[in-house]
Amino acid sequence: AHPMHNNRVHQSGRVSRKRGLPPGSLVHVGTDHQQPARITLVDYSPAGYSSRVVDTIDDILPFRYTPSLTWVNIGGLSDIALMEAIGEHFGIHRLVLEDILNTHQRPKCEEHDKYIYLVLRSISQAVGGEVTSADPYEQVSIVLLDNFVFTFEEQPGENFEPIRRRIQSSLGRFCGLGTDYLVYVILDTLVDQYFDFEEAMAERIDAVEEILLHNPTAETLAGIQRLKRDLIKVRRAVTPLRELLNGVLRANTALVNPATHIYFRDVYDHCLRITETLDTYRDMVTGLLDIYISSVSQKLNEIMKVLTVFASIFIPLTFITGIYGMNFDVMPELHWPWAYPLLWVGFICIPVILLTYFKRKRWL
């Protein structure tokens, strides 16, 4: 079976396991990447920076009582016991944990008493601007607490490695603005991935347009359809981000310092730019489809014109041969000595006359 089909069936089976279960039941819904969860802990303060990979929740708990800022990234959602332990020790509601494990969430922002929950999609798995799998986007969940930030990825990856290096090289800025600034940096990093996708998408559109102008084929139509599909999927992931960022800006909580609103508004502007560019690309792809249809119709018209010319030439010739193919005894010209050569002269002159006429009418 096709791998995409297997992936859809597998995910559907995961969803069916939740049927009939009470709200807050922790079941992983999504692609099983067959990888153990990797817990990366980053702790920083004006006094220093440390980054390590830890094994259990017990390695995280001591940092609850330190004045430093702690960021815990969990790559992989297969460890249900780990999720339950995080919810128990940090007061995260089971419905939020359920949303984290269900990787088909719409991007959103939820404000709770002691934390803010954000969920959005990363597009780092898109290669060359083209979506390469049945579910190309990796869901990223963020839980913002007072001195803690949790991020949850579907599988271990390197999406956040640039952020870790940035924290290490600019501790003063990060420590002065708190964990809400860290959440801004995470959001900004994920949103910037869509700019990379847009650049690759522009190159793909230019390539298809070049082919359309020279030699459009059935494969060109398939390429246009892939462009259209990818744009729809990306736009579906980007459009709700504006609502998510508005939720952060409107949050009535001390977790988001008003001084960081300007940064979240900057990410909001990026989302607007991306959405507007995607709308432009969508119109361009629609135009490419119209050009393809026009090109194919033009090519068909050229073929039909050639066939019509041949048919127009052979119709009178067929008429003549039909007359002299009849089995009548009294046909005087059949017995003329020059009848056969004259007939061939007619066969040659008729096409020449017709072709000359067609050219004068500019039908050729």
Side-chain angles (χ1 to χ4, degrees), residues 42-44 63-71 144-149 178-179 182 255:
V42 174
D43 186 74
Y44 59 96
F63 291 91
R64 296 173 60 189
Y65 309 104
T66 62
S68 59
L69 305 180
T70 306
W71 171 26
L144 168 62
L145 296 102
D146 188 14
N147 285 330
F148 256 84
V149 172
T179 51
L182 172 61
L255 294 173

Side-chain angles (χ1 to χ4, degrees), residues 259-285:
T260 59
H261 281 191
I262 187 172
Y263 299 107
F264 287 109
R265 284 197 296 268
D266 181 64
V267 180
Y268 182 87
D269 291 340
H270 290 176
C271 293
L272 283 179
R273 286 171 51 195
I274 293 170
T275 304
E276 291 172 355
T277 304
L278 291 176
D279 289 341
T280 302
Y281 287 169
R282 182 179 58 182
D283 295 338
M284 293 174 65
V285 171

Side-chain angles (χ1 to χ4, degrees), residues 52-72:
R52 71 197 75 173
V53 176
V54 300
D55 298 323
T56 65
I57 186 68
D58 295 331
D59 299 319
I60 301 173
L61 296 180
F63 291 91
R64 296 173 60 189
Y65 309 104
T66 62
S68 59
L69 305 180
T70 306
W71 171 26
V72 178

Side-chain angles (χ1 to χ4, degrees), residues 97-321:
L97 298 176
E98 182 183 16
D99 286 349
I100 293 172
L101 291 172
N102 186 348
T103 59
H104 304 298
Q105 295 294 321
R106 183 177 184 270
K108 62 180 179 178
C109 170
E110 293 182 358
E111 182 182 353
H112 296 263
D113 292 338
K114 296 183 179 179
Y115 58 90
I116 295 177
Y117 168 59
L118 309 171
V119 59
L120 67 160
R121 292 193 171 275
S122 163
I123 197 172
S124 58
Q125 294 185 41
V127 179
E130 183 169 0
V131 173
T132 57
S133 62
D135 187 12
Y137 311 110
E138 179 180 336
Q139 178 170 299
V140 177
S141 299
I142 305 171
V143 177
L144 168 62
L145 296 102
D146 188 14
N147 285 330
F148 256 84
V149 172
F150 282 95
T151 52
F152 301 87
E153 299 179 280
E154 293 187 43
Q155 59 181 325
E158 302 298 328
N159 280 337
F160 300 137
E161 186 59 32
I163 302 177
R164 297 186 187 103
R165 292 196 298 265
R166 184 175 169 186
I167 295 174
Q168 188 175 12
S169 61
S170 58
L171 285 177
R173 186 177 186 84
F174 271 85
C175 295
L177 293 172
T179 51
D180 52 345
Y181 182 77
L182 172 61
V183 170
Y184 149 72
V185 173
I186 294 171
L187 292 176
D188 187 56
T189 300
L190 296 176
V191 170
D192 282 348
Q193 293 175 350
Y194 290 94
F195 285 110
D196 297 335
F197 175 86
E198 283 186 353
E199 292 178 2
M201 180 64 69
E203 295 177 0
R204 290 175 59 194
I205 292 175
D206 290 341
V208 172
E209 189 174 18
E210 189 69 21
I211 295 173
L212 278 176
L213 295 176
H214 293 89
N215 185 30
T217 62
E219 178 59 29
T220 307
L221 178 61
I224 295 174
Q225 291 300 110
R226 286 194 294 269
L227 284 171
K228 189 175 182 180
R229 178 202 64 189
D230 292 349
L231 283 172
I232 290 173
K233 288 184 176 180
V234 174
R235 198 177 189 284
R236 189 182 300 138
V238 172
T239 302
L241 289 179
R242 292 180 292 177
E243 181 182 340
L244 179 151
L245 290 163
N246 275 328
V248 175
L249 292 170
R250 292 194 304 262
N252 184 21
T253 175
L255 294 173
V256 180
N257 193 315
T260 59
H261 281 191
I262 187 172
Y263 299 107
F264 287 109
R265 284 197 296 268
D266 181 64
V267 180
Y268 182 87
D269 291 340
H270 290 176
C271 293
L272 283 179
R273 286 171 51 195
I274 293 170
T275 304
E276 291 172 355
T277 304
L278 291 176
D279 289 341
T280 302
Y281 287 169
R282 182 179 58 182
D283 295 338
M284 293 174 65
V285 171
T286 302
L288 292 178
L289 186 59
D290 293 339
I291 293 173
Y292 174 81
I293 294 172
S294 299
S295 299
V296 172
S297 299
Q298 180 65 23
K299 186 181 293 186
L300 180 61
N301 289 338
E302 293 293 332
I303 295 172
M304 292 302 298
K305 183 164 62 175
V306 173
L307 295 177
T308 303
V309 168
F310 276 99
S312 301
I313 291 173
F314 280 95
I315 284 174
L317 303 183
T318 306
F319 175 74
I320 294 174
T321 56

